[in-house]
Structure formats: C-alpha cells, structure tokens
Amino acid sequence: MRKITVLLALASVAFSALGQAKVRRMPSIINHPSLDVSTPFISLDGNALLFVANNGQDGGLNILYTSRESDWKEPVDLPKHLNTRLNFFKGYALSADGKKLYFTCAKSPVIGGYDIFSSELTGSTWSQPENLMLPINSKSNDGAPSFTGDGNTIYFMRCDKMDQSKASGCKIFVSKKKSNGQWEEPLELPATINTGNSQTPRIMADGETLIFSSDKITPNKGGMDLYISKLRNGTWSNPVAMDFVNTEKDDQYVSVAALGRYLLKEAPGARKNSEITEFLIPAEIKPRGLMMVEGKVTDNTGAAIPAYISITDINTKKRVYSGRPNANGVYSVFLLEGTRYEMSVDPEQSNISFFSRTFDLTSDKIPQKEKVNITLKQLQPGDEVPLNVSFKPNSAIPDPSAESELKRLVRVAKANPSLKFEIQVLLSGYEEDTIKSSADLTELIVDSVHTIVNNVDTVVVRNTYHNDRTRAQAQALIDYVVSQGADSKNFRYFVNAIPAVTPENRKLTVKAVVR
C-alpha cells in the first residue's frame, strides 16, 4: 500500500449500554483515505488481516496482508504467485494464527474448475501454493474456506458456477480431519441453510456459530444478505438475518476474531470510499468468545523440550485438549469462555519439572490472548515449583482437583530421591475476631488469663477465632504425597499467615521449594 500521512479527525461513535462502541473504524494505516478497502478476513487470534484495496495500477484491485503485535504494520500486497487473475478474488481465509493463507484459484493443477489452495508464511515469504486435493476439492468449484480454531474442521462452498468476481448455485459443506491428517468426505449442511445459493461460510471460534450469505432466504434486504445459525445438540438452528449490518446491496465478506465481540465488514467511509468497519454483534446472537493461549515449552537453555499438554474443564472434568508443542516448542490453543480450565504441561522424562495453571474464563471480560512461556528443567536446590492446588471451602481438606498436581509432585520426588522438598503454604489475608463472625473463621485459640477480681483469683477465658489453616493444609498435602509413595523423610513444611492490605489482595500461595 502507498505510504500515507496519518490524519487525525474527530468522530462521533455510538456506544452500547455496557460502554462498548457499537461501530469502530479500523485505523488509517488500513483505511487509507484515498482508497476503497473491503473484504476483511481477520485471523482468530486477531493479529493478522487480509483485505482488498484498489491500490494497483489504474485503480486495480490487490489483496493485502498486515499483522500486529501491538499496532498494525504497513499492509503489503500478496506476492504474484498468490494474487493472480485466476483467483476467485475474494475467496480467501487465514489460519487461526494468521500464518497460513487459504485461497480459491483456477490455476493448474486443479481437480475441478476452482480449487482451494494453501500457502504458509515463513518470515516474510509465502510458500508456493499447495492444492488441498480430494475430497475437499471436487470436479465442481470449491472455495471460500473457513476453519475452526484447531484447524480440524473446514467449512467451504461448492458452486455450480464461479468466475473471478462471483459465484452462483452454491451450497455449504463441512469436513473434519481424521486422526491420520486426511480429510473426511465433506457433508452438505441441512436444507435450512442450503436453500439454493448459500455462500462464504464463516465458522466462529466457538465452533458452533456459523455466519454465511444468501440471496435465497427471507427476509432479505436485497442481493446477498448475511445470516447466522447456531449448532445445538448436533442440529443447526434456522438462520436469522443479521439486519444490524445487512443493506440493500450485497453483504457477504465478513469475519470475526476469537473474542466474538465485533464483526468486520466494509461500510461507506467519510470520503465516500469504502472502509473496513467493526460492528458490535448484538448480545442475543453473539458467538461465545475464546481466549488464545500460546507460548513455547523449553528447557533452561531455551531449547525445545518434548512435552505433553493437557487442558481439562474443571467444572465438567472433561479433557478439552491434548497435544504436544511443535518441533520448535511452540504451541497454541483456544479456550471457550464460560468455565474454568486447568492446563498442565508434563515432560517425557519423569525427573524433569512440570507446569500447571488455572484459567478462569467466567467473567464478563476475558483477554484475547494469553502468552505463557514454560520452562521445564532438572530441579536443583533453591528451585521453586508452584503448586496449582486448592482446598475445600473453609477447610484444610485438599480439593479433589488437587490430586493430579500432587501426583506430578510425587513423580518428580520419586525420580529425584536425593532432593528434599519443603511444602510452603502462605496465606495473605489472615483474619481474627473474638466471635465467629464469618464461616471462614474455623480455627479457635483459647487463652486463659489469671486475674484478681474482688480479691478472688479468677481465670478469664478468651476465645480468638481465626482463619489460619496453613499448618493443617500443609500437613494434608504431605500426607497425600506420602500416601502415593513419596518418601516422608524428603518432605517438610513451612507456613505463614499475614493480613491482606485489601480484600482484593487476599490469596493463598502453595509451592514446593527444593532444599
């Protein structure tokens, strides 16, 4: 894209009752004031974007790519081996991390008329395209793919006719990837969605919300309109028109990042050009948001280390993800909002440390991305191992969810019999009262004081209720690891309890310190 001078302008923005802007325009590095930009496709992690601009010679159209870590970078044209006249021009997509491009092209080798191809980004270089082949591509025209966050399910359209700018007679299909990496035979979505010309499917990050376009469903404002359907108990709901963005013109090419808050779509700009605009999705149809967790798993030298990653829904006890980092130690996974998760990372070698962490995605606001770099290493005296354990409310009894974490500690202790472990339970939030003023004050200290009352030697009993259960909690943890085969001589504990500065600072820290 041509270099521009950034212009500052005042704009009025409508806000929802919750304070979220109902309409937001992308920054001027994307919405060039002298260009028409359109057809946005944002990666699920929200950090890569494809779009169309008329920045070519004599106003010719090009596909541009940009990415960001904080601010969006200067967009660049896709290379000519991906941006050809044989493309179904707007039938492109990105992988969840924005590092893989999918596009629709009739350039040989093809199976049918138009096929779906892929290209990977390494550094600043896009690889030569690869045909997805059968069974995704067919003797017909296949294009406009959209993938779930894990990349294991693809939605795409299969059309009777297709050229560079349009398609007709389309139906939406879905296919899942087998354990061997091959795709299953695609299945046609039900007739409530495929009514004669359903196009450009966009599966949301939640894997259960589908946005698509059609000119064969009512109500319809004109041309291709946008519709939304939800997958519930294996059945797709009847499509609902997205009238908050539908117009009398064609409304078709949109995308939504994993958080599921805003829909990206072209809209008229202040200079009578088209701009890429974000529209707040109404709460009643909003897809469930996802948070991306990504990072690297390495040893203490920074080299990749073989490991297993497991994520469990704490509420349902179901494992929602099981996988391994790639050869470089890099991993990424999407977590659906509305519940709490335990993430654990275990090495192949039993004498190496482990990692676990809890993610609480039950609040109204969740981050779009969490970066978690993990170091697994041979333990040495002085090392601290955070223990992701909790206790039943107002007690010293470990919660059942603590068992998996304590078993990891047992595994490391058995594999390193020369090491000693100090279990530390540290309470910030100590409270006491002379009466049991809350259910948290489970512990009791009874003091007797001798005093003289009316020349009579009298014993006065003073009760102090408090919430310092750290000693009993630490002992309960040691009792459990010993019951699982750990050597009791290698474990001791240290506890401490102090008042919290504010209620928000109250917390219980549990860790094992190598001695």
Side-chain angles (χ1 to χ4, degrees):
M1 179 180 279
R2 297 190 294 265
K3 292 186 178 180
I4 64 170
T5 301
V6 177
L7 301 177
L8 298 179
L10 295 176
S12 61
V13 181
F15 285 83
S16 71
L18 296 177
Q20 292 177 296
K22 289 185 177 179
V23 179
R24 305 190 307 195
R25 284 177 168 77
M26 297 292 281
S28 56
I29 198 168
I30 293 169
N31 283 328
H32 193 298
S34 65
L35 295 177
D36 288 313
V37 295
S38 65
T39 323
F41 196 106
I42 194 166
S43 58
L44 289 183
D45 68 5
N47 292 326
L49 178 71
L50 287 170
F51 63 97
V52 169
N54 60 339
N55 67 329
Q57 186 175 1
D58 298 325
L61 298 178
N62 284 318
I63 304 172
L64 291 90
Y65 175 88
T66 182
S67 62
R68 66 178 174 184
E69 294 180 358
S70 56
D71 297 329
W72 290 104
K73 299 176 183 177
E74 184 75 26
V76 295
D77 294 353
L78 285 183
K80 291 183 178 180
H81 67 280
L82 304 178
N83 197 358
T84 79
R85 294 183 178 275
L86 294 176
N87 287 7
F88 173 63
F89 198 66
K90 298 179 179 181
Y92 48 72
L94 288 169
S95 60
D97 62 0
K99 302 297 185 184
K100 198 166 191 176
L101 163 71
Y102 298 90
F103 64 103
T104 308
C105 187
K107 185 178 180 180
S108 182
V110 290
I111 294 174
Y114 282 82
D115 282 0
I116 300 172
F117 291 78
S118 68
S119 173
E120 292 200 47
L121 180 64
T122 303
S124 60
T125 302
W126 291 97
S127 67
Q128 289 297 315
E130 293 186 7
N131 191 307
L132 266 58
M133 306 302 289
L134 293 168
I136 301 301
N137 291 319
S138 68
K139 293 295 184 181
S140 188
N141 299 287
D142 302 286
S146 179
F147 291 81
T148 53
D150 59 10
N152 290 331
T153 304
I154 179 177
Y155 291 79
F156 64 98
M157 66 183 192
R158 182 167 288 172
C159 305
D160 294 336
K161 296 181 180 180
M162 185 180 290
D163 59 28
Q164 185 183 22
S165 60
K166 62 184 182 300
S168 62
C170 302
K171 293 182 178 180
I172 296 174
F173 284 74
V174 61
S175 176
K176 296 182 181 296
K177 190 175 287 186
K178 303 176 186 177
S179 58
N180 63 2
Q182 300 299 310
W183 291 103
E184 295 178 353
E185 190 66 33
L187 299 176
E188 184 179 323
L189 292 193
T192 52
I193 291 175
N194 284 321
T195 57
N197 191 32
S198 297
Q199 299 188 20
T200 53
R202 300 288 190 260
I203 188 67
M204 300 295 98
D206 62 8
E208 60 190 29
T209 304
L210 181 71
I211 295 174
F212 66 98
S213 61
S214 175
D215 57 2
K216 302 293 185 183
I217 298 178
T218 56
N220 181 280
K221 288 187 175 182
M224 301 293 291
D225 271 7
L226 293 165
Y227 299 88
I228 191 168
S229 176
K230 302 270 188 175
L231 184 63
R232 295 284 186 264
N233 300 318
T235 301
W236 289 101
S237 65
N238 290 328
V240 174
M242 302 181 74
D243 283 341
F244 72 102
V245 288
N246 284 331
T247 69
E248 70 280 359
K249 298 180 180 180
D250 285 336
D251 302 288
Q252 190 166 9
Y253 299 99
V254 298
S255 66
V256 180
L259 272 182
R261 303 290 191 262
Y262 284 90
L263 178 138
L264 273 69
K265 180 183 181 292
E266 63 191 74
R271 298 173 181 265
K272 297 184 178 180
N273 58 340
S274 66
E275 296 182 338
I276 295 175
T277 305
E278 295 178 292
F279 294 89
L280 184 66
I281 301 174
E284 61 270 19
I285 62 171
K286 185 184 77 67
R288 289 204 286 169
L290 277 84
M291 181 183 77
M292 182 180 187
V293 183
E294 66 171 3
K296 292 186 71 175
V297 181
T298 62
D299 61 20
N300 55 334
T301 70
I305 184 171
Y308 303 93
I309 300 174
S310 177
I311 299 179
T312 301
D313 184 321
I314 294 174
N315 295 334
T316 65
K317 314 299 182 187
K318 291 183 179 179
R319 182 175 294 178
V320 298
Y321 176 82
S322 181
R324 307 189 67 170
N326 68 16
N328 297 318
V330 175
Y331 74 93
S332 65
V333 62
F334 285 90
L335 301 180
L336 189 65
E337 69 178 349
T339 189
R340 297 168 62 240
Y341 299 91
E342 181 196 60
M343 173 183 176
S344 63
V345 182
D346 294 291
E348 286 186 348
Q349 295 176 284
S350 59
N351 63 331
I352 302 298
S353 65
F354 57 89
F355 172 89
S356 69
R357 178 172 168 180
T358 297
F359 295 97
D360 187 347
L361 303 188
T362 59
S363 65
D364 290 336
K365 294 183 178 180
I366 63 173
Q368 183 159 294
K369 181 193 295 187
E370 191 86 16
K371 197 168 190 68
V372 182
N373 291 322
I374 299 160
T375 301
L376 305 180
K377 55 175 287 189
Q378 176 69 56
L379 292 175
Q380 303 291 334
D383 287 341
E384 294 186 357
V385 181
L387 295 178
N388 186 24
V389 301
S390 60
F391 298 87
K392 292 183 176 181
N394 308 322
S395 82
I397 302 173
D399 189 88
S401 64
E403 291 184 3
S404 56
E405 183 82 338
L406 295 174
K407 287 178 180 178
R408 296 183 192 103
L409 180 60
V410 171
R411 183 259 301 166
V412 172
K414 286 182 175 181
N416 296 276
S418 63
L419 296 180
K420 310 291 184 182
F421 294 88
E422 181 179 87
I423 302 296
Q424 295 190 359
V425 181
L426 312 173
L427 171 65
S428 175
Y430 175 77
E431 295 177 351
E432 63 179 38
D433 202 345
T434 56
I435 61 173
K436 192 173 182 180
S437 55
S438 81
D440 189 36
L441 304 182
T442 58
E443 311 306 299
L444 174 64
I445 299 174
V446 180
D447 288 328
S448 58
V449 179
H450 287 264
T451 187
I452 303 297
V453 178
N454 297 326
N455 295 320
V456 177
D457 189 9
T458 304
V459 176
V460 178
V461 177
R462 294 178 179 173
N463 291 337
T464 302
Y465 293 89
H466 65 91
N467 64 343
D468 181 10
R469 296 177 289 273
T470 56
R471 189 179 302 274
Q473 289 169 333
Q475 187 60 58
L477 298 180
I478 291 178
D479 290 345
Y480 182 85
V481 298
V482 171
S483 73
Q484 298 298 308
D487 190 339
S488 61
K489 297 190 296 296
N490 288 343
F491 283 86
R492 65 186 189 190
Y493 65 74
F494 171 84
V495 298
N496 191 29
I498 60 173
V501 177
T502 64
E504 293 76 19
N505 290 333
R506 179 176 175 174
K507 66 178 181 178
L508 186 70
T509 301
V510 185
K511 56 187 175 181
V513 180
V514 183
R515 298 301 188 191

